[in-house]
Coordinates of all heavy atoms in Angstrom, one line a residue:
L100 N -19.7 80.4 8.9 CA -19.5 79.2 8.1 C -18.2 78.9 7.6 O -17.4 79.6 7.5 CB -20.5 79.4 6.9 CG -22.0 79.8 7.1 CD1 -22.7 80.1 5.8 CD2 -22.7 78.8 7.9
D101 N -18.0 77.5 7.5 CA -16.8 77.1 6.9 C -16.6 77.3 5.4 O -17.7 77.7 4.9 CB -16.4 75.6 7.3 CG -17.4 74.6 6.7 OD1 -18.1 74.9 5.6 OD2 -17.7 73.6 7.3
K102 N -15.6 77.1 4.7 CA -15.5 77.4 3.4 C -16.5 76.7 2.6 O -17.0 77.4 1.5 CB -14.0 77.1 2.9 CG -13.0 78.0 3.4 CD -11.5 77.8 2.9 CE -11.0 76.4 3.3 NZ -10.6 76.2 4.5
D103 N -16.7 75.4 2.7 CA -17.6 74.6 1.9 C -19.0 75.2 2.1 O -19.8 75.2 1.1 CB -17.6 73.1 2.3 CG -16.3 72.5 1.7 OD1 -15.8 72.8 0.7 OD2 -15.7 71.6 2.5
S104 N -19.4 75.4 3.3 CA -20.8 76.0 3.6 C -21.1 77.3 3.0 O -22.2 77.6 2.5 CB -21.0 75.9 5.2 OG -20.8 74.7 5.7
R105 N -20.0 78.1 3.1 CA -20.2 79.4 2.4 C -20.4 79.3 0.9 O -21.2 80.1 0.4 CB -18.9 80.2 2.6 CG -18.7 80.7 4.0 CD -17.3 81.4 4.0 NE -17.0 82.0 5.3 CZ -15.9 82.6 5.8 NH1 -15.0 83.0 4.9 NH2 -15.8 83.1 7.0
K106 N -19.6 78.4 0.2 CA -19.8 78.3 -1.2 C -21.1 77.6 -1.5 O -21.8 78.0 -2.4 CB -18.8 77.3 -1.7 CG -18.6 77.1 -3.2 CD -18.6 78.5 -3.9 CE -18.6 78.3 -5.4 NZ -18.2 79.6 -6.0
S107 N -21.7 76.7 -0.7 CA -23.0 76.1 -0.8 C -24.0 77.1 -0.8 O -25.0 77.3 -1.6 CB -23.3 75.0 0.1 OG -22.3 73.9 -0.1
L108 N -23.9 78.0 0.3 CA -24.9 79.1 0.4 C -24.9 80.0 -0.8 O -26.0 80.5 -1.2 CB -24.7 79.7 1.8 CG -25.7 80.8 2.1 CD1 -27.1 80.2 2.1 CD2 -25.4 81.4 3.4
A109 N -23.7 80.4 -1.2 CA -23.6 81.2 -2.2 C -24.2 80.9 -3.6 O -24.5 81.7 -4.4 CB -22.0 81.6 -2.5
R110 N -24.2 79.6 -3.8 CA -24.7 79.0 -5.0 C -26.2 79.2 -5.1 O -26.8 78.9 -6.1 CB -24.4 77.6 -5.2 CG -23.0 77.3 -5.5 CD -22.6 75.9 -5.7 NE -21.2 75.7 -6.0 CZ -20.6 74.6 -5.7 NH1 -21.1 73.7 -5.0 NH2 -19.3 74.6 -6.0
T111 N -26.9 79.6 -4.0 CA -28.4 79.6 -4.0 C -28.9 80.8 -4.6 O -30.1 80.8 -5.2 CB -28.9 79.6 -2.5 OG1 -28.5 80.8 -1.9 CG2 -28.5 78.3 -1.9
C112 N -28.2 81.9 -4.9 CA -28.7 83.1 -5.6 C -27.5 84.0 -5.8 O -26.6 84.1 -5.1 CB -29.8 83.8 -4.8 SG -29.5 84.8 -3.4
P113 N -27.8 84.9 -6.8 CA -26.7 86.0 -7.0 C -26.3 86.9 -5.9 O -25.3 87.2 -5.9 CB -27.2 86.7 -8.4 CG -28.4 85.7 -8.9 CD -28.9 85.0 -7.7
Q114 N -27.3 87.3 -5.1 CA -27.0 88.2 -4.1 C -26.0 87.5 -3.1 O -25.2 88.2 -2.6 CB -28.3 88.7 -3.4 CG -28.1 89.7 -2.3 CD -29.3 90.1 -1.6 OE1 -30.4 89.7 -1.9 NE2 -29.1 90.9 -0.5
L115 N -26.3 86.3 -2.8 CA -25.5 85.6 -1.8 C -24.1 85.3 -2.4 O -23.0 85.2 -1.7 CB -26.1 84.3 -1.3 CG -27.4 84.7 -0.4 CD1 -28.1 83.4 0.1 CD2 -27.1 85.5 0.8
Q116 N -24.1 85.1 -3.6 CA -22.7 84.8 -4.4 C -22.0 86.1 -4.3 O -20.7 86.1 -4.2 CB -23.0 84.5 -5.9 CG -21.7 84.4 -6.6 CD -20.9 83.1 -6.3 OE1 -21.4 82.1 -5.9 NE2 -19.6 83.2 -6.3
D117 N -22.6 87.2 -4.5 CA -21.9 88.6 -4.2 C -21.3 88.7 -2.9 O -20.2 89.2 -2.7 CB -22.8 89.7 -4.6 CG -22.2 91.0 -4.7 OD1 -21.2 91.2 -5.4 OD2 -22.8 91.9 -4.1
V118 N -22.0 88.3 -1.9 CA -21.5 88.4 -0.5 C -20.4 87.5 -0.4 O -19.3 87.9 0.2 CB -22.6 88.1 0.5 CG1 -22.1 88.0 1.9 CG2 -23.7 89.1 0.4
F119 N -20.5 86.2 -1.0 CA -19.3 85.2 -0.9 C -18.0 85.9 -1.4 O -16.9 85.6 -1.1 CB -19.7 84.0 -1.6 CG -18.7 83.0 -1.8 CD1 -18.4 82.0 -0.8 CD2 -17.9 82.9 -3.1 CE1 -17.4 81.1 -1.0 CE2 -16.9 82.0 -3.1 CZ -16.6 81.1 -2.2
E120 N -18.3 86.6 -2.6 CA -17.0 87.3 -3.2 C -16.5 88.5 -2.6 O -15.7 89.2 -3.1 CB -17.4 87.5 -4.7 CG -17.6 86.3 -5.4 CD -18.2 86.4 -6.9 OE1 -18.5 87.4 -7.2 OE2 -18.4 85.3 -7.5
D121 N -17.1 89.0 -1.4 CA -16.7 90.2 -0.8 C -15.4 89.9 -0.2 O -15.3 89.0 0.7 CB -17.7 90.5 0.3 CG -17.4 91.9 0.8 OD1 -16.3 92.3 1.2 OD2 -18.4 92.8 0.9
P122 N -14.3 90.7 -0.5 CA -13.0 90.5 0.1 C -13.0 90.5 1.7 O -12.2 89.9 2.2 CB -12.2 91.6 -0.5 CG -12.9 92.0 -1.7 CD -14.3 91.8 -1.4
A123 N -14.0 91.3 2.3 CA -13.9 91.5 3.7 C -14.2 90.1 4.4 O -13.9 90.0 5.6 CB -15.0 92.5 4.2
L124 N -14.8 89.3 3.6 CA -15.2 87.9 4.3 C -14.0 87.0 4.3 O -14.0 85.9 5.0 CB -16.2 87.2 3.4 CG -16.9 86.0 3.9 CD1 -17.6 86.2 5.1 CD2 -17.9 85.5 2.8
W125 N -12.8 87.3 3.8 CA -11.8 86.4 3.6 C -10.4 86.9 4.3 O -9.4 86.8 3.6 CB -11.6 86.0 2.1 CG -12.8 85.5 1.5 CD1 -13.8 86.1 0.9 CD2 -13.2 84.1 1.7 NE1 -14.7 85.2 0.4 CE2 -14.5 84.0 1.0 CE3 -12.7 83.0 2.4 CZ2 -15.1 82.8 0.9 CZ3 -13.4 81.8 2.3 CH2 -14.6 81.7 1.5

Side-chain angles (χ1 to χ4, degrees):
L100 302 175
D101 63 27
K102 293 186 293 296
D103 289 324
S104 299
R105 287 178 183 181
K106 185 62 180 180
S107 295
L108 182 57
R110 288 183 179 145
T111 62
C112 80
Q114 183 182 352
L115 295 178
Q116 179 67 36
D117 188 49
V118 173
F119 174 83
E120 294 172 356
D121 190 313
L124 186 61
W125 301 99

